[in-house]
Amino acid sequence: MDIGNSSLVAEFILVGLTTYSEIQLPLFFLFLGIYIVTVAGNLGLVTLIGLNSHLHAPMYYFLFNLSFIDLCYSSVITPKLLVNFVSKMNTISYAGCMTQLFFYCFFVSAECYLLTVMAFDRYVAICKPLKYTVTMSPQVCSLLAVIVYVGAFVGAWAHTGCMLRLNFCDANTINHYMCDILPLLELPCTSTHINELVVLIVVGFDVSVPTLTIIVSYSFILSSILRIRSTEGRSKAFSTCSSHIIVISIFFGSGAFMYLHPSSVLSMDQGKVSTVFYTIVVPMLNPLIYSFRNKEVKVALKKNLSRISFS
């Protein structure tokens, strides 16, 4: 594959999230607030899990990775979006655009796979509790994490490598607030057939396989929960599963809505709204839903805050 830069375009112009100037400043403060919460929540959770040995269990190991991914994921997108709200000319270099595209694809794929691994972890914990320690050993957890990141790298390189093959002649205005795949594919002066095929295959795999795995895992989990005699235990398990399913539904649903459709069905402006959910909102929600409602995390947080206050 020839991935040399044959593009004639030195930089791209980002249209942004909206063209209405009167709401640019309110949106800036809204997304700045979301980003601050995202960074504080995910960085706080990474630090908390790292400092507390009793949180060094498989579930929290995956939460640690999820928070790391969300922190990086949001940082790839949101700072540039914030600049777009206050800049008169929103430009990004060709190299910067391709770099953003690669890391965006990398982290979004990694999140897909990690959410799947977390569903599998919950399946083993609830359905196979006696085998949990052996099945989810540190070696297995590390192997699963490696698979997550390697799979994400392959998918990101497939998208970015194919994009680097295209010629961008005159058109350089991206109808989006970031360098996303579909908006970029509207600009080349060469055929994008291969790119569209790669999008269909890679995104289809990233959505369908994890979704199927999660559905199967939760089917077994639901079956096990229904056999729990304690009403309190059943209610707690349902609450945990519902939170997980809500985040998964937002993440996978918005991603599928954006990518897996005929181009004539969804306008790019509608696609921007869909993208906001899984690039900006979901990374903020994850530490709140998965962690700060968790009793062990709350206890660890109180202990660490107490140490700081008395030091």
Side-chain angles (χ1 to χ4, degrees):
M1 180 184 293
D2 179 16
I3 58 172
N5 180 9
S6 57
S7 171
L8 301 178
V9 171
E11 64 179 16
F12 294 100
I13 299 172
L14 295 168
V15 170
L17 187 61
T18 177
T19 57
Y20 298 103
S21 58
E22 62 271 15
I23 64 172
Q24 296 280 11
L25 195 58
L27 285 177
F28 170 81
F29 287 110
L30 172 64
F31 286 106
L32 177 62
I34 291 174
Y35 184 59
I36 291 173
V37 173
T38 301
V39 172
N42 288 292
L43 188 59
L45 184 57
V46 166
T47 305
L48 197 64
I49 294 174
L51 292 177
N52 292 271
S53 57
H54 71 279
L55 295 181
H56 294 175
M59 180 177 73
Y60 298 105
Y61 173 77
F62 295 128
L63 282 174
F64 179 95
N65 280 273
L66 181 66
S67 291
F68 170 76
I69 290 171
D70 282 333
L71 181 61
C72 297
Y73 182 22
S74 181
S75 297
V76 168
I77 305 300
T78 311
K80 182 59 180 173
L81 173 62
L82 294 174
V83 172
N84 290 347
F85 285 129
V86 295
S87 300
K88 292 183 179 180
M89 183 62 71
N90 308 320
T91 61
I92 184 170
S93 67
Y94 177 87
C97 186
M98 294 300 115
T99 301
Q100 186 186 58
L101 175 66
F102 173 82
F103 283 106
Y104 160 66
C105 293
F106 176 80
F107 288 117
V108 73
S109 296
E111 182 137 346
C112 284
Y113 301 146
L114 190 61
L115 288 173
T116 307
V117 169
M118 291 172 69
F120 174 73
D121 173 69
R122 291 300 83 202
Y123 157 75
V124 177
I126 295 174
C127 301
K128 308 285 184 180
L130 298 179
K131 298 181 179 180
Y132 183 73
T133 305
V134 176
T135 305
M136 302 303 294
S137 65
Q139 294 80 7
V140 172
C141 291
S142 298
L143 177 61
L144 289 173
V146 169
I147 292 172
V148 165
Y149 291 116
V150 170
F153 177 85
V154 171
W157 180 243
H159 289 303
T160 310
C162 287
M163 195 67 68
L164 287 168
R165 297 174 67 253
L166 299 177
N167 291 330
F168 297 88
C169 301
D170 298 316
N172 70 334
T173 301
I174 302 175
N175 185 20
H176 214 291
Y177 59 84
M178 67 177 192
C179 292
D180 199 357
I181 301 169
L182 297 185
L184 278 169
L185 290 181
E186 295 182 347
L187 306 181
C189 50
T190 51
S191 173
T192 61
H193 176 72
I194 294 177
N195 297 69
E196 292 169 1
L197 186 60
V198 169
V199 169
L200 183 62
I201 294 172
V202 175
V203 177
F205 179 86
D206 286 349
V207 172
S208 61
V209 173
T211 300
L212 180 61
T213 304
I214 290 168
I215 290 173
V216 171
S217 297
Y218 270 103
S219 296
F220 285 110
I221 290 172
L222 181 61
S223 177
S224 296
I225 289 174
L226 292 175
R227 291 198 294 268
I228 297 175
R229 295 183 179 181
S230 167
T231 304
E232 183 181 352
R234 220 170 24 238
S235 176
K236 183 178 179 181
F238 272 124
S239 176
T240 303
C241 291
S242 64
S243 299
H244 193 187
I245 291 171
I246 288 171
V247 173
I248 288 172
S249 299
I250 295 173
F251 184 79
F252 283 98
S254 56
F257 184 69
M258 177 64 184
Y259 290 103
L260 301 181
H261 64 84
S263 58
S264 59
V265 173
L266 185 68
S267 72
M268 194 54 65
D269 288 336
Q270 291 172 308
K272 293 178 191 178
V273 177
S274 175
T275 310
V276 164
F277 280 100
Y278 67 89
T279 59
I280 297 174
V281 176
V282 170
M284 179 190 68
L285 292 177
N286 284 345
L288 300 176
I289 293 177
Y290 285 112
S291 308
F292 295 120
R293 294 177 61 187
N294 183 289
K295 185 178 179 180
E296 290 182 326
V297 171
K298 286 181 178 180
V299 170
L301 181 60
K302 288 179 181 178
K303 286 183 179 179
N304 282 269
L305 290 176
S306 298
R307 291 173 189 170
I308 294 173
S309 62
F310 287 109
S311 61

